[in-house]
Amino acid sequence: MGEIYACGIYVLSYFSHRGVGYGICQRLLINLCEDTAEDSLPQSLATPGDRIPCEFTASKGLTLIMACRSAERAVTAKENLLKHLDEHISKQKNNQSASINRMLEFRRNLKVDLLSLDLANTTKTFEFCEEVTHRYPYVSHAIFNAGYAPWIGINWPRAVLAVITDYMEAVTNGETFRTQKVGITSKEGYGMTFQSNVLGHFILARHLRPLMVKSPWPARVIWTSSLVSGHALDRIDWDDLQLLKTANPYGASKYQIQLIAHYLDMESATSGTNKTPIRHLISHPGVTSTSIFLDYLNFVTAFLMNLAFYVARLFGSQDHPISWINGAIAATHLALVPSQLLNRPEEPVLYGSRATRFGKPYVGRSEIYRYSENADNAQLLVGRCDALYNELKRKRRGKSNGA
């Protein structure tokens, strides 16, 4: 087990000022300031086993590298994050908690850095990797939570019909009535959804690999997928790598993430070049009320959507954590749970945030939907992404040599 004394945990997380990414940062700080990180404990449906001490204790240092697009919003989010942590510690101090000295030591040694990152711009993505490589000795955890969706609204007649005919499916999936714009490209000409959700993260995984290999513990990359990914599978054209033709590019990109992450996990485990294999793990937040779709609703429809979520959970749905911090539990659990309790690299699984009828969050586990028939497509995806990554690296070196 790795006790952190001379070194600290370096966690890279992409976040927005609101949403699951912010919830992940909240959960990580609250967990790591405690004597026992609650999210590191075994989960009976996801990581069953004996209670084993957490490999990561951060009293001597945690550097949380928060990647963000908007500097202004990032500063506000950082202030709110630290305020939330300070309030938690103050509450424990008032309750005369036995672990207060450790919490105060954790707070003194905590460092939160804000770095600019735009995954829809490959130049800025490479610049981000180079800055991280220059500033930090290693990265022990990378949480890929950024998400872009080309939603343009709701087909209300379809939505009403879906709710009437299959309420639970309608408020869990929603892909039959949420409309997406097809064929959106980035300024560089790549499929926008593919570049933001898949290629950008792939560049991070490949370019930061040398830094993650230096971690004192086997580094972990946690890729964020979605409950809706399987619904896009029937309409995926595997020749349409950049998802410019599919009617559901968001769901398709999330399924691509599952295939790529699992392939990279197996690749790392079987590679003889890594002394400490990097784990690539897959999580999803369940159904949460985040800004990724709220921007397309008004006050009344947003209220009704949230009400529908709570009704679904009250009537037995386990897929509705709803709040940001509850939706973050799968990612933080994968970041902190002892490695002995994780799935074997050859097992094609993903971990999902769930909640009980009354809102207690927990983690579930399932197999990647129809993985066996798409295993060859996983290799195809990684090969094509590697080709794009290597081409971009060559162009970047050429510009650098010509400067």
Side-chain angles (χ1 to χ4, degrees):
M1 298 297 173
E3 291 287 324
I4 305 173
Y5 293 109
C7 54
I9 302 174
Y10 287 82
V11 178
L12 167 64
S13 177
Y14 192 97
F15 83 110
S16 64
H17 68 294
R18 52 180 182 168
V20 174
Y22 183 80
I24 290 171
C25 294
Q26 282 185 310
R27 290 194 78 98
L28 281 174
L29 295 188
I30 296 301
N31 270 268
L32 288 170
C33 81
E34 300 281 358
D35 281 335
T36 300
E38 185 178 358
D39 287 353
S40 73
L41 300 179
Q43 290 270 347
S44 59
L45 298 180
T47 51
D50 296 330
R51 183 167 171 167
I52 305 170
C54 177
E55 294 163 280
F56 313 105
T57 56
S59 61
K60 293 298 181 181
L62 165 67
T63 298
L64 180 60
I65 308 163
M66 300 173 73
C68 51
R69 279 194 300 263
S70 169
E72 181 179 351
R73 290 178 175 179
V75 170
T76 301
K78 175 182 175 180
E79 292 172 352
N80 291 337
L81 190 67
L82 294 177
K83 180 182 177 182
H84 180 265
L85 175 64
D86 290 337
E87 289 173 350
H88 174 77
I89 294 175
S90 178
K91 182 178 179 180
Q92 299 306 311
K93 188 174 183 180
N94 293 336
N95 293 339
Q96 298 182 336
S97 171
S99 60
I100 188 62
N101 289 332
R102 186 190 185 285
M103 291 182 176
L104 293 173
E105 183 181 21
F106 171 83
R107 182 63 179 91
R108 286 193 300 270
N109 293 323
L110 172 64
K111 185 179 181 182
V112 179
D113 291 342
L114 303 176
L115 272 65
S116 176
L117 172 61
D118 182 358
L119 291 168
N121 184 311
T122 58
T123 298
K124 291 183 178 179
T125 303
F126 277 105
E127 288 174 350
F128 171 84
C129 292
E130 289 159 6
E131 183 174 4
V132 170
T133 302
H134 177 73
R135 290 179 59 170
Y136 305 104
Y138 57 85
V139 169
S140 56
H141 300 71
I143 303 173
F144 295 165
N145 183 67
Y148 167 83
W151 286 318
I152 54 177
I154 294 177
N155 183 318
W156 287 106
R158 285 186 182 179
V160 172
L161 180 62
V163 170
I164 293 172
T165 56
D166 192 340
Y167 180 83
M168 285 296 191
E169 175 66 15
V171 299
T172 303
N173 175 19
E175 292 305 291
T176 59
F177 54 81
R178 287 188 294 197
T179 56
Q180 300 182 43
K181 190 171 183 179
V182 177
I184 298 178
T185 58
S186 68
K187 292 180 179 179
E188 296 174 288
Y190 298 106
M192 184 66 174
T193 307
F194 168 76
Q195 182 172 358
S196 300
N197 295 352
V198 182
L199 180 61
H201 289 125
F202 189 88
I203 292 172
L204 295 181
R206 285 303 199 210
H207 219 62
L208 293 176
R209 180 167 51 181
L211 205 59
M212 288 188 279
V213 171
K214 294 178 182 179
S215 170
W217 319 271
R220 300 181 186 181
V221 180
I222 298 157
W223 300 69
T224 303
S225 185
S226 170
L227 266 177
V228 305
S229 59
H231 295 274
L233 185 56
D234 291 336
R235 291 184 286 179
I236 288 181
D237 178 358
W238 293 108
D239 292 325
D240 180 26
L241 171 69
Q242 298 189 30
L243 308 176
L244 291 169
K245 300 175 184 177
T246 177
N248 185 0
Y250 177 76
S253 72
K254 291 299 183 177
Y255 190 75
Q256 285 183 332
I257 282 173
Q258 293 180 25
L259 295 183
I260 289 171
H262 177 61
Y263 186 91
L264 293 181
D265 199 32
M266 292 192 296
E267 177 188 72
S268 180
T270 57
S271 172
T273 59
N274 288 346
K275 295 181 180 178
T276 54
I278 300 167
R279 291 305 311 268
H280 290 264
L281 307 164
I282 311 163
S283 73
H284 72 74
V287 179
T288 56
S289 179
T290 68
S291 60
I292 196 169
F293 194 71
L294 284 178
D295 292 339
Y296 301 93
L297 303 174
N298 58 38
F299 175 79
V300 174
T301 52
F303 171 79
L304 292 174
M305 182 188 74
N306 280 294
L307 179 62
F309 290 168
Y310 281 102
V311 170
R313 192 169 75 188
L314 186 63
F315 280 89
S317 171
Q318 301 173 343
D319 293 320
H320 287 75
I322 302 176
S323 71
W324 307 339
I325 198 163
N326 282 357
I329 190 173
T332 54
H333 180 64
L334 291 181
L336 300 176
V337 68
S339 57
Q340 299 96 313
L341 301 181
L342 290 169
N343 63 290
R344 299 188 304 275
E346 64 270 18
E347 295 179 298
V349 301
L350 65 155
Y351 299 83
S353 298
R354 297 178 182 174
T356 65
R357 190 185 306 269
F358 299 106
K360 181 177 175 57
Y362 65 98
V363 183
R365 168 176 157 167
S366 59
E367 290 191 2
I368 295 176
Y369 182 62
R370 288 166 56 180
Y371 176 77
S372 59
E373 65 188 79
N374 286 293
D376 290 342
N377 290 321
Q379 184 175 6
L380 175 70
L381 280 170
V382 172
R384 289 181 174 179
C385 286
D386 265 328
L388 285 173
Y389 168 66
N390 290 324
E391 179 185 359
L392 288 165
K393 276 204 310 180
R394 285 193 296 270
K395 288 180 178 178
R396 188 163 178 78
R397 281 197 300 265
K399 290 180 180 180
S400 178
N401 293 335

